Amino acid sequence: MRCADEESQSFPSYNTIAKKCSISRRTAIRAVQELEDVGLLSCDKRTVTKNGKLVNTSNLYTIHET
């Protein structure tokens, strides 16, 4: 099941990825990193400014078709 939009982008949390794949959060983090390493996925960390400080919101993943 793909969760990406028509631009091949998605922004699930590591916890969501882990739950949907029946794996641990740490394993989900490693899997995302491996997909990035082989060029199948890119990850942009998104932030907002809150009270003058940058706060992480979510990661934006882009799937690269083979």
Side-chain angles (χ1 to χ4, degrees):
M1 168 165 57
R2 284 184 64 154
C3 297
D5 63 14
E6 59 278 348
E7 296 176 356
S8 296
Q9 294 183 326
S10 184
F11 49 92
S13 68
Y14 288 125
N15 288 338
T16 298
I17 294 168
K19 185 175 181 180
K20 288 188 178 253
C21 296
S22 300
I23 57 177
S24 71
R25 182 178 188 278
R26 183 67 200 128
T27 299
I29 293 168
R30 282 194 302 267
V32 167
Q33 184 61 54
E34 286 181 35
L35 291 170
E36 284 185 90
D37 290 347
V38 298
L40 295 176
L41 185 77
S42 60
C43 176
D44 295 314
K45 297 186 184 330
R46 302 192 297 180
T47 59
V48 294
T49 302
K50 189 172 184 178
N51 297 328
K53 295 182 181 181
L54 283 179
V55 177
N56 292 333
T57 58
S58 64
N59 294 328
L60 178 64
Y61 302 104
T62 303
I63 301 166
H64 304 290
E65 301 292 332
T66 56

Short mmCIF file of all heavy atoms in Angstrom, two decimals:
data_model
loop_
_atom_site.label_atom_id
_atom_site.label_comp_id
_atom_site.label_asym_id
_atom_site.label_seq_id
_atom_site.Cartn_x
_atom_site.Cartn_y
_atom_site.Cartn_z
N MET A 1 0.84 -1.17 0.00
CA MET A 1 0.00 0.00 0.00
C MET A 1 0.89 1.24 0.00
O MET A 1 1.79 1.38 0.81
CB MET A 1 -0.89 0.02 1.23
CG MET A 1 -1.54 1.35 1.39
SD MET A 1 -2.91 1.58 2.45
CE MET A 1 -2.55 1.13 4.02
N ARG A 2 0.65 2.15 -0.93
CA ARG A 2 1.40 3.39 -1.00
C ARG A 2 0.61 4.49 -0.29
O ARG A 2 -0.59 4.59 -0.46
CB ARG A 2 1.64 3.79 -2.44
CG ARG A 2 2.73 2.98 -3.08
CD ARG A 2 3.02 3.46 -4.44
NE ARG A 2 3.54 4.82 -4.39
CZ ARG A 2 4.32 5.34 -5.30
NH1 ARG A 2 4.67 4.62 -6.32
NH2 ARG A 2 4.74 6.57 -5.21
N CYS A 3 1.32 5.31 0.43
CA CYS A 3 0.68 6.43 1.13
C CYS A 3 1.07 7.76 0.51
O CYS A 3 0.72 8.80 1.03
CB CYS A 3 1.08 6.41 2.60
SG CYS A 3 0.53 4.94 3.45
N ALA A 4 1.82 7.73 -0.58
CA ALA A 4 2.30 8.95 -1.20
C ALA A 4 1.21 9.58 -2.07
O ALA A 4 0.33 8.91 -2.59
CB ALA A 4 3.53 8.66 -2.04
N ASP A 5 1.34 10.89 -2.27
CA ASP A 5 0.41 11.60 -3.15
C ASP A 5 0.86 11.49 -4.60
O ASP A 5 1.81 10.75 -4.91
CB ASP A 5 0.27 13.06 -2.71
CG ASP A 5 1.56 13.86 -2.80
OD1 ASP A 5 2.53 13.40 -3.45
OD2 ASP A 5 1.62 14.97 -2.22
N GLU A 6 0.21 12.22 -5.49
CA GLU A 6 0.53 12.14 -6.92
C GLU A 6 1.93 12.64 -7.24
O GLU A 6 2.46 12.38 -8.31
CB GLU A 6 -0.51 12.88 -7.76
CG GLU A 6 -0.66 14.35 -7.44
CD GLU A 6 -1.55 14.66 -6.25
OE1 GLU A 6 -2.27 13.78 -5.75
OE2 GLU A 6 -1.49 15.80 -5.78
N GLU A 7 2.55 13.37 -6.33
CA GLU A 7 3.92 13.85 -6.51
C GLU A 7 4.94 12.92 -5.84
O GLU A 7 6.09 13.29 -5.66
CB GLU A 7 4.06 15.27 -5.97
CG GLU A 7 3.21 16.27 -6.74
CD GLU A 7 3.27 17.66 -6.14
OE1 GLU A 7 3.91 17.85 -5.10
OE2 GLU A 7 2.66 18.56 -6.74
N SER A 8 4.49 11.74 -5.43
CA SER A 8 5.32 10.74 -4.74
C SER A 8 5.88 11.26 -3.42
O SER A 8 6.99 10.94 -3.03
CB SER A 8 6.46 10.26 -5.65
OG SER A 8 5.94 9.59 -6.77
N GLN A 9 5.09 12.09 -2.73
CA GLN A 9 5.52 12.62 -1.44
C GLN A 9 4.58 12.16 -0.33
O GLN A 9 3.39 11.98 -0.54
CB GLN A 9 5.56 14.15 -1.47
CG GLN A 9 6.62 14.67 -2.41
CD GLN A 9 6.72 16.17 -2.38
OE1 GLN A 9 5.74 16.87 -2.21
NE2 GLN A 9 7.94 16.67 -2.54
N SER A 10 5.17 11.98 0.85
CA SER A 10 4.42 11.52 2.01
C SER A 10 5.11 12.04 3.26
O SER A 10 6.29 12.38 3.24
CB SER A 10 4.38 10.00 2.01
OG SER A 10 3.58 9.52 3.06
N PHE A 11 4.42 12.09 4.38
CA PHE A 11 5.03 12.59 5.60
C PHE A 11 4.62 11.81 6.86
O PHE A 11 4.29 12.39 7.89
CB PHE A 11 4.75 14.08 5.79
CG PHE A 11 3.32 14.48 5.62
CD1 PHE A 11 2.46 14.51 6.69
CD2 PHE A 11 2.84 14.81 4.37
CE1 PHE A 11 1.13 14.86 6.52
CE2 PHE A 11 1.52 15.17 4.19
CZ PHE A 11 0.66 15.20 5.27
N PRO A 12 4.67 10.46 6.81
CA PRO A 12 4.33 9.70 8.02
C PRO A 12 5.44 9.81 9.06
O PRO A 12 6.60 10.00 8.73
CB PRO A 12 4.22 8.27 7.50
CG PRO A 12 5.18 8.24 6.36
CD PRO A 12 5.06 9.59 5.72
N SER A 13 5.05 9.69 10.31
CA SER A 13 6.05 9.67 11.39
C SER A 13 6.74 8.31 11.42
O SER A 13 6.24 7.33 10.84
CB SER A 13 5.37 9.92 12.74
OG SER A 13 4.53 8.82 13.07
N TYR A 14 7.88 8.25 12.09
CA TYR A 14 8.55 6.96 12.24
C TYR A 14 7.64 5.98 12.98
O TYR A 14 7.63 4.79 12.67
CB TYR A 14 9.87 7.11 13.01
CG TYR A 14 10.96 7.79 12.22
CD1 TYR A 14 11.60 8.91 12.71
CD2 TYR A 14 11.37 7.30 10.98
CE1 TYR A 14 12.60 9.53 11.99
CE2 TYR A 14 12.37 7.92 10.25
CZ TYR A 14 12.99 9.04 10.77
OH TYR A 14 13.99 9.65 10.05
N ASN A 15 6.87 6.48 13.94
CA ASN A 15 5.94 5.59 14.67
C ASN A 15 4.88 5.01 13.73
O ASN A 15 4.53 3.83 13.84
CB ASN A 15 5.27 6.34 15.81
CG ASN A 15 6.22 6.63 16.95
OD1 ASN A 15 7.24 5.96 17.10
ND2 ASN A 15 5.91 7.64 17.74
N THR A 16 4.37 5.82 12.82
CA THR A 16 3.37 5.34 11.86
C THR A 16 3.98 4.30 10.92
O THR A 16 3.37 3.25 10.65
CB THR A 16 2.78 6.51 11.04
OG1 THR A 16 2.13 7.40 11.96
CG2 THR A 16 1.80 6.03 10.00
N ILE A 17 5.17 4.58 10.43
CA ILE A 17 5.85 3.63 9.55
C ILE A 17 6.05 2.30 10.29
O ILE A 17 5.76 1.23 9.75
CB ILE A 17 7.21 4.19 9.07
CG1 ILE A 17 6.99 5.41 8.17
CG2 ILE A 17 8.03 3.11 8.34
CD1 ILE A 17 8.25 6.20 7.88
N ALA A 18 6.52 2.39 11.53
CA ALA A 18 6.77 1.18 12.32
C ALA A 18 5.49 0.38 12.53
O ALA A 18 5.47 -0.84 12.35
CB ALA A 18 7.39 1.57 13.66
N LYS A 19 4.41 1.07 12.89
CA LYS A 19 3.15 0.38 13.15
C LYS A 19 2.61 -0.30 11.89
O LYS A 19 2.22 -1.46 11.92
CB LYS A 19 2.13 1.38 13.69
CG LYS A 19 0.83 0.75 14.10
CD LYS A 19 -0.10 1.76 14.73
CE LYS A 19 -1.38 1.09 15.15
NZ LYS A 19 -2.32 2.02 15.78
N LYS A 20 2.62 0.42 10.76
CA LYS A 20 2.10 -0.15 9.51
C LYS A 20 2.93 -1.32 9.00
O LYS A 20 2.42 -2.19 8.31
CB LYS A 20 1.99 0.93 8.45
CG LYS A 20 0.86 1.90 8.72
CD LYS A 20 0.64 2.84 7.56
CE LYS A 20 -0.51 3.75 7.86
NZ LYS A 20 -1.70 3.43 7.11
N CYS A 21 4.22 -1.32 9.35
CA CYS A 21 5.11 -2.40 8.89
C CYS A 21 5.35 -3.47 9.95
O CYS A 21 6.10 -4.42 9.72
CB CYS A 21 6.45 -1.81 8.46
SG CYS A 21 6.33 -0.70 7.05
N SER A 22 4.73 -3.31 11.12
CA SER A 22 4.90 -4.25 12.24
C SER A 22 6.37 -4.41 12.62
O SER A 22 6.87 -5.53 12.79
CB SER A 22 4.28 -5.60 11.91
OG SER A 22 2.91 -5.47 11.65
N ILE A 23 7.06 -3.28 12.75
CA ILE A 23 8.46 -3.27 13.15
C ILE A 23 8.64 -2.24 14.26
O ILE A 23 7.72 -1.46 14.54
CB ILE A 23 9.41 -2.95 11.96
CG1 ILE A 23 9.04 -1.60 11.33
CG2 ILE A 23 9.36 -4.06 10.92
CD1 ILE A 23 9.96 -1.15 10.20
N SER A 24 9.81 -2.22 14.87
CA SER A 24 10.07 -1.24 15.91
C SER A 24 10.35 0.13 15.28
O SER A 24 10.68 0.24 14.10
CB SER A 24 11.28 -1.66 16.76
OG SER A 24 12.48 -1.53 15.99
N ARG A 25 10.22 1.17 16.08
CA ARG A 25 10.51 2.53 15.61
C ARG A 25 11.96 2.62 15.15
O ARG A 25 12.25 3.21 14.13
CB ARG A 25 10.22 3.53 16.73
CG ARG A 25 10.44 4.98 16.30
CD ARG A 25 10.09 5.95 17.45
NE ARG A 25 10.12 7.32 17.01
CZ ARG A 25 11.22 8.05 16.91
NH1 ARG A 25 12.40 7.54 17.22
NH2 ARG A 25 11.15 9.31 16.49
N ARG A 26 12.87 2.04 15.90
CA ARG A 26 14.29 2.08 15.55
C ARG A 26 14.54 1.39 14.22
O ARG A 26 15.32 1.87 13.40
CB ARG A 26 15.13 1.43 16.67
CG ARG A 26 16.60 1.49 16.42
CD ARG A 26 17.11 2.95 16.49
NE ARG A 26 18.38 3.02 15.80
CZ ARG A 26 18.68 3.89 14.85
NH1 ARG A 26 17.84 4.80 14.47
NH2 ARG A 26 19.85 3.87 14.26
N THR A 27 13.88 0.27 13.97
CA THR A 27 14.02 -0.43 12.70
C THR A 27 13.46 0.42 11.56
O THR A 27 14.03 0.45 10.47
CB THR A 27 13.33 -1.80 12.76
OG1 THR A 27 13.95 -2.58 13.78
CG2 THR A 27 13.43 -2.54 11.44
N ALA A 28 12.37 1.14 11.80
CA ALA A 28 11.80 2.04 10.79
C ALA A 28 12.80 3.14 10.44
O ALA A 28 12.98 3.47 9.26
CB ALA A 28 10.49 2.63 11.29
N ILE A 29 13.45 3.70 11.44
CA ILE A 29 14.45 4.74 11.20
C ILE A 29 15.59 4.19 10.35
O ILE A 29 16.01 4.82 9.38
CB ILE A 29 14.99 5.29 12.54
CG1 ILE A 29 13.88 6.05 13.27
CG2 ILE A 29 16.21 6.18 12.32
CD1 ILE A 29 14.20 6.40 14.71
N ARG A 30 16.07 3.00 10.68
CA ARG A 30 17.15 2.38 9.90
C ARG A 30 16.70 2.08 8.47
O ARG A 30 17.46 2.29 7.51
CB ARG A 30 17.63 1.10 10.57
CG ARG A 30 18.56 1.33 11.75
CD ARG A 30 19.28 0.06 12.16
NE ARG A 30 18.39 -1.03 12.51
CZ ARG A 30 17.96 -1.30 13.74
NH1 ARG A 30 18.37 -0.56 14.76
NH2 ARG A 30 17.15 -2.31 13.96
N ALA A 31 15.47 1.63 8.30
CA ALA A 31 14.96 1.31 6.97
C ALA A 31 14.87 2.56 6.10
O ALA A 31 15.26 2.54 4.93
CB ALA A 31 13.58 0.64 7.08
N VAL A 32 14.38 3.66 6.67
CA VAL A 32 14.31 4.92 5.94
C VAL A 32 15.71 5.36 5.53
O VAL A 32 15.95 5.76 4.39
CB VAL A 32 13.59 6.01 6.76
CG1 VAL A 32 13.80 7.40 6.15
CG2 VAL A 32 12.11 5.70 6.89
N GLN A 33 16.66 5.24 6.44
CA GLN A 33 18.04 5.61 6.14
C GLN A 33 18.62 4.76 5.01
O GLN A 33 19.28 5.27 4.11
CB GLN A 33 18.92 5.49 7.39
CG GLN A 33 20.34 5.97 7.16
CD GLN A 33 20.42 7.42 6.77
OE1 GLN A 33 19.89 8.28 7.47
NE2 GLN A 33 21.04 7.72 5.64
N GLU A 34 18.34 3.47 5.04
CA GLU A 34 18.82 2.57 3.98
C GLU A 34 18.22 2.94 2.64
O GLU A 34 18.91 2.93 1.61
CB GLU A 34 18.51 1.12 4.32
CG GLU A 34 19.38 0.54 5.41
CD GLU A 34 19.06 -0.91 5.72
OE1 GLU A 34 18.71 -1.65 4.79
OE2 GLU A 34 19.18 -1.29 6.89
N LEU A 35 16.93 3.27 2.61
CA LEU A 35 16.28 3.68 1.36
C LEU A 35 16.88 4.98 0.83
O LEU A 35 17.05 5.14 -0.38
CB LEU A 35 14.77 3.83 1.56
CG LEU A 35 14.01 2.53 1.80
CD1 LEU A 35 12.57 2.82 2.23
CD2 LEU A 35 14.04 1.63 0.57
N GLU A 36 17.22 5.89 1.75
CA GLU A 36 17.91 7.11 1.34
C GLU A 36 19.29 6.80 0.77
O GLU A 36 19.68 7.35 -0.26
CB GLU A 36 18.07 8.06 2.52
CG GLU A 36 16.82 8.80 2.91
CD GLU A 36 17.10 9.81 4.00
OE1 GLU A 36 17.42 10.96 3.66
OE2 GLU A 36 17.01 9.44 5.19
N ASP A 37 20.01 5.92 1.45
CA ASP A 37 21.38 5.58 1.05
C ASP A 37 21.45 5.00 -0.37
O ASP A 37 22.41 5.25 -1.09
CB ASP A 37 22.01 4.59 2.03
CG ASP A 37 22.31 5.21 3.39
OD1 ASP A 37 22.25 6.45 3.51
OD2 ASP A 37 22.55 4.44 4.34
N VAL A 38 20.43 4.24 -0.76
CA VAL A 38 20.45 3.63 -2.10
C VAL A 38 19.72 4.48 -3.14
O VAL A 38 19.59 4.09 -4.29
CB VAL A 38 19.88 2.18 -2.09
CG1 VAL A 38 20.73 1.28 -1.23
CG2 VAL A 38 18.42 2.15 -1.68
N GLY A 39 19.22 5.65 -2.72
CA GLY A 39 18.63 6.59 -3.66
C GLY A 39 17.17 6.37 -4.00
O GLY A 39 16.66 6.97 -4.95
N LEU A 40 16.47 5.54 -3.25
CA LEU A 40 15.05 5.29 -3.51
C LEU A 40 14.13 6.29 -2.82
O LEU A 40 12.95 6.38 -3.13
CB LEU A 40 14.67 3.87 -3.09
CG LEU A 40 15.33 2.74 -3.88
CD1 LEU A 40 14.95 1.40 -3.30
CD2 LEU A 40 14.92 2.82 -5.35
N LEU A 41 14.69 7.04 -1.87
CA LEU A 41 13.89 7.94 -1.06
C LEU A 41 14.74 9.14 -0.69
O LEU A 41 15.94 9.00 -0.47
CB LEU A 41 13.47 7.19 0.22
CG LEU A 41 12.53 7.85 1.19
CD1 LEU A 41 11.11 7.79 0.66
CD2 LEU A 41 12.58 7.14 2.53
N SER A 42 14.12 10.31 -0.65
CA SER A 42 14.82 11.46 -0.07
C SER A 42 13.96 11.99 1.06
O SER A 42 12.73 11.86 1.06
CB SER A 42 15.10 12.54 -1.12
OG SER A 42 13.92 13.01 -1.69
N CYS A 43 14.62 12.56 2.04
CA CYS A 43 13.94 13.01 3.25
C CYS A 43 14.32 14.47 3.53
O CYS A 43 15.50 14.79 3.63
CB CYS A 43 14.35 12.12 4.42
SG CYS A 43 13.67 12.62 6.00
N ASP A 44 13.31 15.32 3.61
CA ASP A 44 13.52 16.72 3.97
C ASP A 44 12.92 16.94 5.35
O ASP A 44 11.73 16.70 5.56
CB ASP A 44 12.85 17.65 2.96
CG ASP A 44 13.47 17.55 1.59
OD1 ASP A 44 14.71 17.56 1.51
OD2 ASP A 44 12.72 17.45 0.60
N LYS A 45 13.75 17.37 6.28
CA LYS A 45 13.27 17.65 7.63
C LYS A 45 12.57 19.00 7.62
O LYS A 45 13.11 19.99 7.17
CB LYS A 45 14.42 17.62 8.61
CG LYS A 45 15.06 16.26 8.67
CD LYS A 45 16.10 16.16 9.73
CE LYS A 45 16.83 14.84 9.75
NZ LYS A 45 16.16 13.68 9.32
N ARG A 46 11.32 19.02 8.11
CA ARG A 46 10.54 20.25 8.11
C ARG A 46 10.51 20.83 9.51
O ARG A 46 10.40 20.10 10.50
CB ARG A 46 9.13 19.98 7.60
CG ARG A 46 9.16 19.41 6.20
CD ARG A 46 7.83 19.38 5.53
NE ARG A 46 6.86 18.54 6.20
CZ ARG A 46 5.61 18.38 5.76
NH1 ARG A 46 5.19 19.00 4.69
NH2 ARG A 46 4.77 17.60 6.40
N THR A 47 10.62 22.15 9.59
CA THR A 47 10.63 22.85 10.87
C THR A 47 9.73 24.08 10.81
O THR A 47 9.39 24.56 9.73
CB THR A 47 12.06 23.30 11.26
OG1 THR A 47 12.55 24.18 10.24
CG2 THR A 47 13.00 22.13 11.43
N VAL A 48 9.36 24.55 11.99
CA VAL A 48 8.65 25.82 12.13
C VAL A 48 9.35 26.60 13.23
O VAL A 48 10.07 26.02 14.06
CB VAL A 48 7.16 25.63 12.48
CG1 VAL A 48 6.40 24.97 11.36
CG2 VAL A 48 6.98 24.89 13.77
N THR A 49 9.15 27.89 13.24
CA THR A 49 9.70 28.72 14.31
C THR A 49 8.62 28.91 15.36
O THR A 49 7.51 29.33 15.05
CB THR A 49 10.16 30.08 13.77
OG1 THR A 49 11.13 29.86 12.74
CG2 THR A 49 10.79 30.92 14.87
N LYS A 50 8.95 28.55 16.59
CA LYS A 50 8.00 28.67 17.70
C LYS A 50 8.72 29.34 18.86
O LYS A 50 9.75 28.84 19.32
CB LYS A 50 7.48 27.28 18.10
CG LYS A 50 6.35 27.30 19.07
CD LYS A 50 5.79 25.91 19.26
CE LYS A 50 4.60 25.93 20.16
NZ LYS A 50 4.00 24.61 20.32
N ASN A 51 8.22 30.47 19.29
CA ASN A 51 8.85 31.23 20.37
C ASN A 51 10.31 31.53 20.06
O ASN A 51 11.18 31.46 20.93
CB ASN A 51 8.73 30.50 21.71
CG ASN A 51 7.29 30.32 22.14
OD1 ASN A 51 6.44 31.16 21.85
ND2 ASN A 51 7.01 29.23 22.83
N GLY A 52 10.60 31.82 18.79
CA GLY A 52 11.96 32.17 18.39
C GLY A 52 12.91 31.01 18.21
O GLY A 52 14.10 31.21 17.97
N LYS A 53 12.41 29.79 18.35
CA LYS A 53 13.26 28.60 18.20
C LYS A 53 12.73 27.72 17.09
O LYS A 53 11.52 27.63 16.88
CB LYS A 53 13.29 27.80 19.50
CG LYS A 53 13.92 28.51 20.65
CD LYS A 53 13.95 27.63 21.89
CE LYS A 53 14.57 28.37 23.05
NZ LYS A 53 14.64 27.54 24.24
N LEU A 54 13.64 27.05 16.37
CA LEU A 54 13.24 26.09 15.36
C LEU A 54 12.78 24.81 16.03
O LEU A 54 13.45 24.27 16.90
CB LEU A 54 14.39 25.77 14.41
CG LEU A 54 14.71 26.82 13.36
CD1 LEU A 54 15.90 26.36 12.52
CD2 LEU A 54 13.53 27.10 12.47
N VAL A 55 11.62 24.33 15.61
CA VAL A 55 11.04 23.10 16.17
C VAL A 55 10.78 22.15 15.00
O VAL A 55 10.20 22.55 13.99
CB VAL A 55 9.73 23.40 16.92
CG1 VAL A 55 9.09 22.12 17.44
CG2 VAL A 55 9.95 24.39 18.04
N ASN A 56 11.22 20.90 15.12
CA ASN A 56 10.95 19.90 14.09
C ASN A 56 9.46 19.58 14.07
O ASN A 56 8.84 19.40 15.11
CB ASN A 56 11.72 18.61 14.36
CG ASN A 56 13.21 18.79 14.18
OD1 ASN A 56 13.65 19.64 13.43
ND2 ASN A 56 13.99 17.98 14.88
N THR A 57 8.90 19.50 12.86
CA THR A 57 7.49 19.14 12.74
C THR A 57 7.36 17.72 12.19
O THR A 57 6.80 16.85 12.84
CB THR A 57 6.71 20.12 11.84
OG1 THR A 57 7.32 20.16 10.56
CG2 THR A 57 6.68 21.50 12.43
N SER A 58 7.86 17.50 10.99
CA SER A 58 7.78 16.18 10.39
C SER A 58 8.79 16.09 9.27
O SER A 58 9.39 17.09 8.88
CB SER A 58 6.37 15.91 9.84
OG SER A 58 6.08 16.81 8.79
N ASN A 59 8.98 14.90 8.77
CA ASN A 59 9.84 14.69 7.61
C ASN A 59 8.96 14.59 6.38
O ASN A 59 7.89 13.99 6.42
CB ASN A 59 10.66 13.39 7.75
CG ASN A 59 11.64 13.47 8.89
OD1 ASN A 59 12.15 14.51 9.22
ND2 ASN A 59 11.90 12.32 9.51
N LEU A 60 9.41 15.15 5.28
CA LEU A 60 8.72 15.02 4.00
C LEU A 60 9.53 14.06 3.16
O LEU A 60 10.69 14.32 2.84
CB LEU A 60 8.60 16.36 3.29
CG LEU A 60 7.93 16.32 1.91
CD1 LEU A 60 6.47 15.88 2.04
CD2 LEU A 60 8.03 17.66 1.24
N TYR A 61 8.94 12.92 2.83
CA TYR A 61 9.63 11.89 2.06
C TYR A 61 9.20 11.98 0.61
O TYR A 61 8.03 12.15 0.31
CB TYR A 61 9.27 10.50 2.58
CG TYR A 61 9.61 10.29 4.03
CD1 TYR A 61 8.62 10.31 5.00
CD2 TYR A 61 10.92 10.09 4.44
CE1 TYR A 61 8.92 10.14 6.34
CE2 TYR A 61 11.24 9.92 5.77
CZ TYR A 61 10.23 9.93 6.71
OH TYR A 61 10.54 9.76 8.03
N THR A 62 10.16 11.86 -0.29
CA THR A 62 9.89 11.78 -1.72
C THR A 62 10.39 10.44 -2.21
O THR A 62 11.56 10.10 -2.00
CB THR A 62 10.57 12.92 -2.49
OG1 THR A 62 10.12 14.17 -1.94
CG2 THR A 62 10.21 12.87 -3.97
N ILE A 63 9.51 9.68 -2.84
CA ILE A 63 9.86 8.36 -3.37
C ILE A 63 10.40 8.54 -4.78
O ILE A 63 9.80 9.22 -5.60
CB ILE A 63 8.61 7.45 -3.40
CG1 ILE A 63 8.05 7.29 -1.98
CG2 ILE A 63 8.95 6.10 -4.03
CD1 ILE A 63 6.67 6.71 -1.94
N HIS A 64 11.54 7.93 -5.05
CA HIS A 64 12.15 7.98 -6.37
C HIS A 64 11.93 6.65 -7.06
O HIS A 64 12.39 5.61 -6.57
CB HIS A 64 13.64 8.31 -6.28
CG HIS A 64 13.90 9.58 -5.53
ND1 HIS A 64 13.58 10.80 -6.04
CD2 HIS A 64 14.42 9.80 -4.30
CE1 HIS A 64 13.90 11.74 -5.16
NE2 HIS A 64 14.42 11.15 -4.10
N GLU A 65 11.19 6.68 -8.16
CA GLU A 65 10.88 5.45 -8.89
C GLU A 65 12.15 4.88 -9.52
O GLU A 65 13.04 5.62 -9.90
CB GLU A 65 9.86 5.75 -9.98
CG GLU A 65 8.54 6.31 -9.48
CD GLU A 65 7.72 5.32 -8.67
OE1 GLU A 65 7.83 4.10 -8.90
OE2 GLU A 65 6.96 5.79 -7.81
N THR A 66 12.19 3.57 -9.64
CA THR A 66 13.35 2.94 -10.25
C THR A 66 13.16 2.79 -11.74
O THR A 66 12.09 2.85 -12.26
CB THR A 66 13.60 1.54 -9.64
OG1 THR A 66 12.42 0.77 -9.80
CG2 THR A 66 13.97 1.66 -8.20
#
